[in-house]
C-alpha cells in the first residue's frame, strides 16, 4: 500500500494556493493508492501573541465547513482512481484542548484520518511556534527556557501530553505528527544533544504501544536546509516494527511538487530496517 498520510491544501496559508486536484493528480501519477488530506484546523483567537502570523498558520473557523465539503467532494470525484481520506492535522493545544474538542464535534464524526501534532510550546509572551524561523526559536524559546536542552525536554513533555490526549479521542486511525519537529532548525541553532532526543523517544515507545497510536514518518525535514533528516530516526522505525506500532509515510506536502517527496528514502529505509 503506497499511502501519503500527511498533506496540505489551499486551505493552508503558509503553503501553495494550488487546487486540491493538482495534489491528488500528482499522487495518482506517482502511484499512490491512498492519500490523506490533513489540513491544519483553526486555532483559538489570540493563541499566539503574533496576530499577523496567526493568519498564516491556520484557516479561520468559518472555513472549516468549506474545507470539509471540498475534501469530501475530491474524495468522491477521484474514488475510482485513488482512495482519499478526509482528515486533519490537529494541534495539541496545551491548556485549550476544549477548543479542539469543539472543533472535532463540528466535523460530526465524519473525519477518516487524524494526525495530532505539537507545533506550539509555552514561550516568551505566550504560546510560540517551534517551526517558524531559527530567529523566532532563539528569541522566544531558547531565551525563555535558558538552554536548548530545556526546550527539547519541554517539547517531548508536550509530545507525551499530546499522545495521552490523542489516545482519548474517539477516531479510527490516529498518528502522532512529525515527532522530531524540534530538530527542524538544528543546523542553525545551538546543538541538540542526540542522546537526549533518543532517550526521550525511547520513553515514548511504550506509551505509543499502549495508546495504539501510529507514527507519521514525516519526510519534510529532508527538504529543510537546516534539518536534512526525516522527523523520525531509522532506529525508532526498527523498534516500531518490532513492537507492531503502525507508521505511515507523510510528505507533509504544502505544494503539489512535494507530494512524493521523500518516498524513495522511506521505501529504502523500511526495506533495510
Ligand atoms: Zn505539522
Ligand atoms: Zn503538516
Amino acid at each position: 500500500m503506497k499511502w501519503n498520510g500527511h498533506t496540505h491544501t489551499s486551505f493552508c496559508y503558509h503553503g501553495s494556493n494550488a487546487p486540491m486536484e493538482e495534489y491528488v493528480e500528482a499522487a495518482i501519477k506517482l502511484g499512490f493508492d491512498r492519500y490523506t488530506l490533513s489540513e491544519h484546523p483553526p486555532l483559538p483567537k489570540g493563541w499566539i501573541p503574533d496576530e499577523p502570523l496567526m493568519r498564516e498558520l491556520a484557516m479561520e473557523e468559518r472555513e472549516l465547513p468549506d474545507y470539509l465539503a471540498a475534501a469530501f467532494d475530491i474524495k468522491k470525484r477521484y474514488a475510482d482512481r485513488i482512495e482519499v481520506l478526509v482528515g486533519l492535522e490537529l494541534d495539541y493545544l496545551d491548556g485549550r484542548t476544549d477548543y479542539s474538542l469543539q472543533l472535532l464535534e463540528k466535523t460530526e464524526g465524519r473525519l477518516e484520518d487524524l494526525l495530532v501534532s505539537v507545533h506550539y510550546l509555552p514561550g516568551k509572551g505566550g504560546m510560540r511556534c517551534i517551526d517558524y524561523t531559527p530567529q523566532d526559536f532563539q528569541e522566544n524559546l531558547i531565551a525563555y527556557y535558558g538552554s536548548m536542552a530545556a526546550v527539547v525536554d519541554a517539547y517531548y513533555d508536550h509530545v507525551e501530553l499530546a499522545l495521552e490526549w490523542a489516545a482519548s479521542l474517539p477516531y479510527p486511525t490516529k498518528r502522532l505528527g512529525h515527532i522530531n519537529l524540534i530538530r527542524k532548525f538544528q543546523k542553525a541553532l545551538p546543538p541538540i544533544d542526540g542522546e537526549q532526543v533518543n532517550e526521550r523517544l525511547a520513553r515514548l515507545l511504550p506509551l505509543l504501544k499502549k495508546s495504539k497510536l501510529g507514527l507519521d514518518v514525516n519526510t519534510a525535514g529532508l527538504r529543510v536546509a537546516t534539518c536534512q533528516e526525516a522527523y523520525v530516526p531509522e532506529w525508532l522505525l526498527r523498534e516500531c516494527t518490532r513492537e507492531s506500532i503502525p507508521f505511515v509515510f507523510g510528505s507533509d506536502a504544502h505544494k503539489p511538487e512535494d507530494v512524493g517527496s521523500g518516498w524513495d528514502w522511506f521505501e529504502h529505509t523500511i526495506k533495510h530496517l
Side-chain angles (χ1 to χ4, degrees):
M1 157 81 69
K2 190 169 175 178
W3 178 6
N4 190 342
H6 188 153
T7 72
H8 293 275
T9 71
S10 55
F11 285 85
C12 166
Y13 302 113
H14 53 274
S16 141
N17 58 8
M20 285 182 194
E21 286 86 345
E22 278 187 36
Y23 289 82
V24 173
E25 272 163 31
I28 292 167
K29 217 171 271 173
L30 291 163
F32 282 96
D33 306 293
R34 184 184 279 173
Y35 188 87
T36 298
L37 298 164
S38 51
E39 196 50 274
H40 300 287
L43 292 167
K45 271 196 185 58
W47 173 245
I48 59 163
D50 185 341
E51 253 317 304
L53 179 58
M54 272 279 290
R55 277 194 287 277
E56 271 181 52
L57 295 173
M59 66 177 90
E60 309 255 345
E61 272 179 33
R62 60 179 167 76
E63 292 173 289
L64 185 61
D66 301 342
Y67 163 69
L68 292 171
F72 279 107
D73 176 56
I74 286 280
K75 179 186 176 75
K76 208 165 112 192
R77 282 197 282 128
Y78 285 90
D80 57 342
R81 298 167 71 193
I82 190 168
E83 181 189 5
V84 174
L85 299 182
V86 178
L88 286 174
E89 181 183 11
L90 199 59
D91 297 289
Y92 170 65
L93 300 178
D94 194 46
R96 287 307 311 273
T97 49
D98 62 314
Y99 181 84
S100 303
L101 288 178
Q102 267 174 29
L103 278 185
L104 285 175
E105 268 167 35
K106 283 183 199 159
T107 66
E108 296 163 341
R110 290 187 298 154
L111 290 182
E112 300 167 316
D113 201 14
L114 194 62
L115 289 156
V116 175
S117 299
V118 175
H119 298 107
Y120 306 98
L121 285 181
K124 201 169 151 194
M127 296 306 287
R128 293 292 182 173
C129 294
I130 62 164
D131 60 343
Y132 180 42
T133 64
Q135 195 192 344
D136 181 74
F137 193 109
Q138 175 70 51
E139 287 169 5
N140 296 313
L141 292 168
I142 297 178
Y144 177 81
Y145 286 92
S147 68
M148 178 59 101
V151 181
V152 168
D153 266 329
Y155 171 71
Y156 288 104
D157 289 346
H158 279 73
V159 171
E160 287 179 11
L161 291 167
L163 175 58
E164 198 181 312
W165 178 68
S168 73
L169 301 173
Y171 282 87
T173 63
K174 295 176 287 192
R175 293 182 298 287
L176 266 189
H178 46 55
I179 52 165
N180 267 1
L181 184 63
I182 199 71
R183 291 167 74 102
K184 181 172 180 181
F185 303 124
Q186 57 180 336
K187 293 181 192 294
L189 289 170
I192 291 180
D193 178 2
E195 286 290 304
Q196 183 192 3
V197 170
N198 289 347
E199 194 251 319
R200 294 302 308 244
L201 292 176
R203 268 164 61 178
L204 263 184
L205 273 170
L207 305 175
L208 269 171
K209 193 169 163 90
K210 202 175 115 206
S211 67
K212 304 226 173 2
L213 251 80
L215 278 188
D216 164 40
V217 185
N218 191 296
T219 57
L222 291 166
R223 306 193 291 275
V224 178
T226 55
C227 186
Q228 295 178 22
E229 62 182 33
Y231 292 130
V232 178
E234 293 174 30
W235 71 263
L236 191 67
L237 294 179
R238 204 174 303 126
E239 290 301 314
C240 286
T241 307
R242 201 171 292 160
E243 299 287 335
S244 310
I245 295 166
F247 55 79
V248 176
F249 166 80
S251 76
D252 210 347
H254 282 74
K255 50 181 193 245
E257 304 91 278
D258 286 339
V259 163
S261 173
W263 176 264
D264 292 348
W265 172 86
F266 177 75
E267 204 175 30
H268 181 268
T269 301
I270 55 171
K271 217 174 269 170
H272 295 93
L273 283 180

